[in-house]
Amino acid sequence: MDTIFALATANGKAGVAVVRVSGPDAFSAAEALAGDIPAPRRAALRKLRDPSGAVLDEALVLCFASGASFTGEPVVEFHLHGSVAILRSVLRVLADLPGFRMADPGEFTRRALDHDRLDLTQVEALADLIEAETESQRVLAMTVFSGALGRMVEDWRAELIAAASLLEVTIDFADEEVPVDVSDDVRAGLLRVRADLDRQLSGMSAAERIRSGFEVAIVGRPNVGKSSLLNALAGRDAAITSEHAGTTRDVIEVRMEIAGLPVTLLDTAGLREAEDPVERLGIARARDRADTADLRVFLLAEGDEPELEVRPGDLIRQSKADLSGDPQAISSLTGQGIEQLLTDLGTTLSERVQRSSLATRERHRVAFLEGRDCLDAALRLLDLGPERYDVASEEVRVAIRRLEALIGRVDVENLLDHIFASFCLGK
């Protein structure tokens, strides 16, 4: 296996830049540049030199022995001053060393997977952790990256292996009298795993919203103050406001964080009967986005009723409190009620993610569904008696393989290139 290297920090000028080297000859990179190999896991200050002896930089050099590094291989990190010229010189020296090459995107993490330092769910969580923009995204990604989903799958796997083993004992002694009926124990084990799968599947929608974000649509009649409310919530002029009705013709989106959750606010066209074909198109889009939004804020003028059916969790507010004097209304001009609206939005959305799943991706959902289907088949076969235990056992083993694929044990080679393509070079 080649020894690979790459810049592990962002490109461009910075206070510090880290170059990571991993592979069988990683320690020779420390010798070539720093003159010796610092003790593992003890950062040492060294002058880095090129083959001619010219000093390139004074840097911290940190070595990790095989089995004690992120990739599981010998690893050396050079913590350099973040000069573009220094980086270029150090990378050039590394590229000239025999058996060294620039890492491909995600190759460090792929080697961690190959050396069993991470399972496939942790690899995906690492990508999510790097992309996390909100506290809830960080917490969810960190939980999965710590191995929580992998441990859950391992527990299921152990339970199913025990169930399959009980069935196979019965099969092995089919011509003899088996002293114990194992069907109740097997059924109990299968039902426990199936219930866990159901809980994870039911929480996937919330987990996916944490990962990708909620959509909150502001809806109401024209000139009721929707764009002004969007600007007030976003804290900037994201939408054009005017006293003329029908100013908003398309859906305006603003990404923000509410209660630690990623939220996209949608300012939609005013809902009314319109003759202008462009406005009619905007109103149609407004209705479509409002229908698919996770939550709607209905903004009403005094005496108005919601134009759409109010769903559980939707919020209703009367607008322009600065004109009406209503203490329960909101005003984008004075700020009255805005903080409370944000609090109510945060509370409502937080309640929806309290029972979120650890699984966030489509392939997780498919693996759970396929595993559950196999368990359902096994439970039906179990009810038909010992003569069908052999088929029931095979259904349990198929369920095990579906769950093993989730953490990367089997049948995932076709997924790896796609997963690692999203990683940067230094990961």
Side-chain angles (χ1 to χ4, degrees), residues 217-221 224 226 266-271 286-287 289-291 296-300 307-308 315:
I218 303 172
V219 295
R221 295 181 61 80
V224 76
K226 298 185 298 299
L266 308 178
D267 177 23
T268 60
L271 302 179
R287 289 182 179 275
R289 293 299 294 273
D291 285 341
R296 285 89 59 84
V297 176
F298 287 91
L299 196 58
L300 308 177
E307 294 283 328
L308 304 174
L315 302 178

Side-chain angles (χ1 to χ4, degrees), residues 157-356:
R157 180 176 177 273
E159 184 94 61
L160 296 179
I161 287 175
S165 299
L166 287 173
L167 288 174
E168 286 168 13
V169 166
T170 304
I171 297 167
D172 290 341
F173 291 92
D175 296 331
E176 305 175 25
E177 183 177 350
V178 180
V180 179
D181 181 6
V182 301
S183 60
D184 288 344
D185 290 338
V186 172
R187 184 178 291 103
L190 299 186
L191 287 174
R192 279 194 294 270
V193 176
R194 193 193 186 285
D196 285 346
L197 287 170
D198 279 339
R199 278 192 291 272
Q200 289 298 309
L201 284 166
S202 67
M204 278 201 69
S205 176
E208 176 57 27
R209 285 294 175 264
I210 293 175
R211 182 168 173 263
S212 62
F214 288 90
E215 283 196 348
V216 175
I218 303 172
V219 295
R221 295 181 61 80
N223 209 28
V224 76
K226 298 185 298 299
S227 297
S228 296
L229 177 59
L230 177 77
N231 292 341
L233 292 173
R236 61 186 177 90
D237 290 336
I240 297 173
T241 59
S242 168
E243 70 275 9
H244 300 291
T247 301
T248 302
R249 299 296 183 93
D250 205 348
V251 178
I252 298 172
E253 302 183 7
V254 173
R255 184 84 166 180
M256 63 183 296
E257 180 177 341
I258 298 177
L261 296 167
V263 175
T264 299
L265 290 176
L266 308 178
D267 177 23
T268 60
L271 302 179
R272 66 173 178 178
E273 295 297 327
E275 297 181 0
D276 186 318
V278 177
E279 187 179 357
R280 283 204 305 270
L281 180 59
I283 293 170
R285 288 186 179 181
R287 289 182 179 275
D288 289 342
R289 293 299 294 273
D291 285 341
T292 59
D294 300 290
L295 187 150
R296 285 89 59 84
V297 176
F298 287 91
L299 196 58
L300 308 177
E302 191 174 4
D304 280 352
E305 292 292 331
E307 294 283 328
L308 304 174
E309 180 183 356
V310 179
R311 302 191 301 229
D314 287 345
L315 302 178
I316 301 176
R317 293 292 188 275
Q318 184 177 320
S319 67
K320 302 183 180 180
D322 51 294
L323 299 180
S324 67
D326 186 346
Q328 301 303 315
I330 65 173
S331 170
S332 302
L333 181 63
T334 66
Q336 177 181 315
I338 299 298
E339 284 300 321
Q340 186 60 49
L341 177 58
L342 283 169
T343 299
D344 292 345
L345 285 170
T347 300
T348 302
L349 297 177
S350 296
E351 288 173 352
R352 297 188 182 186
V353 300
Q354 285 180 351
R355 291 178 292 277
S356 65

